[in-house]
Amino acid sequence: MVAGRRPRSIRGDSEQTPSRDNRIVLADGRDSIGRRRAHLRWRWSAEDRDSVQRSIRILAHEIEAGGLGRFSQWVEFEGPLAPMWNGMHHPMGGTRMHEDPALGVVDPDGLVHGTEGLYIAGSSVFPNGHGYANPTLTVLALSIRLADHLKSVLA
């Protein structure tokens, strides 16, 4: 540390590349009323890990080359410095939207394929989760769109 300078923190968040392997599944364990528990399978791909590590190397180089100080990484993907929740991301896409039932759970109107009258609106229907921004406004827009659709269907 340079005399007279206090350490500063930089936080970098990133979303992951969509992967069919990242999903919500039913676990073997049961809850207190006998229903199967949900289990989140979520892993960083090698490509995502490489991308994050490359970004860290570039940032560290620029900070040090600019004479701004020394960069110390405080988190790793494995070992004692691994984040408790496997990263900073929004698990989305558990009931993915797609016209083809083989590729998604709901159609473009949010209707569950093969089920009459069951609609879903939320970040679970997102086809992917690119971007770091909080998904709340998109969820609200999707919900309003579904409400308008239901008004027209039920009128």
Side-chain angles (χ1 to χ4, degrees):
M1 186 165 90
V2 177
R5 289 195 184 168
R6 295 183 336 191
R8 302 283 187 223
S9 295
I10 297 172
R11 175 180 162 168
D13 296 318
S14 66
E15 295 290 348
Q16 296 167 260
T17 306
S19 168
R20 293 181 64 90
D21 293 332
N22 287 342
R23 60 181 60 201
I24 301 166
V25 298
L26 290 176
D28 292 332
R30 306 240 173 208
D31 65 15
S32 61
I33 60 172
R35 294 187 180 182
R36 290 175 66 188
R37 294 184 184 273
H39 174 71
L40 178 63
R41 276 194 212 148
W42 207 267
R43 299 285 179 247
W44 287 83
S45 71
E47 176 187 7
D48 291 331
R49 289 173 183 234
D50 290 346
S51 178
V52 169
Q53 291 298 332
R54 181 173 180 267
S55 297
I56 290 169
R57 284 192 305 273
I58 291 169
L59 178 62
H61 176 267
E62 293 301 320
I63 287 172
E64 293 173 16
L68 300 174
R70 182 177 53 85
F71 183 86
S72 298
Q73 184 175 338
W74 63 272
V75 69
E76 300 285 345
F77 283 106
E78 304 291 340
L81 296 179
M84 180 153 80
W85 298 109
N86 197 21
M88 315 276 187
H89 48 259
H90 299 100
M92 298 180 264
T95 56
R96 184 170 294 148
M97 181 185 290
H98 200 281
E99 291 176 351
D100 183 347
L103 299 175
V105 176
V106 301
D107 72 11
D109 291 321
L111 177 67
V112 175
H113 289 292
T115 306
E116 187 177 328
L118 178 59
Y119 291 84
I120 298 175
S123 64
S124 70
V125 305
F126 290 4
N128 66 50
H130 279 305
Y132 169 71
N134 190 304
T136 303
L137 292 177
T138 307
V139 170
L140 287 171
L142 193 61
S143 299
I144 291 168
R145 182 175 171 264
L146 176 56
D148 289 342
H149 171 74
L150 291 175
K151 281 193 297 189
S152 70
V153 169
L154 300 173

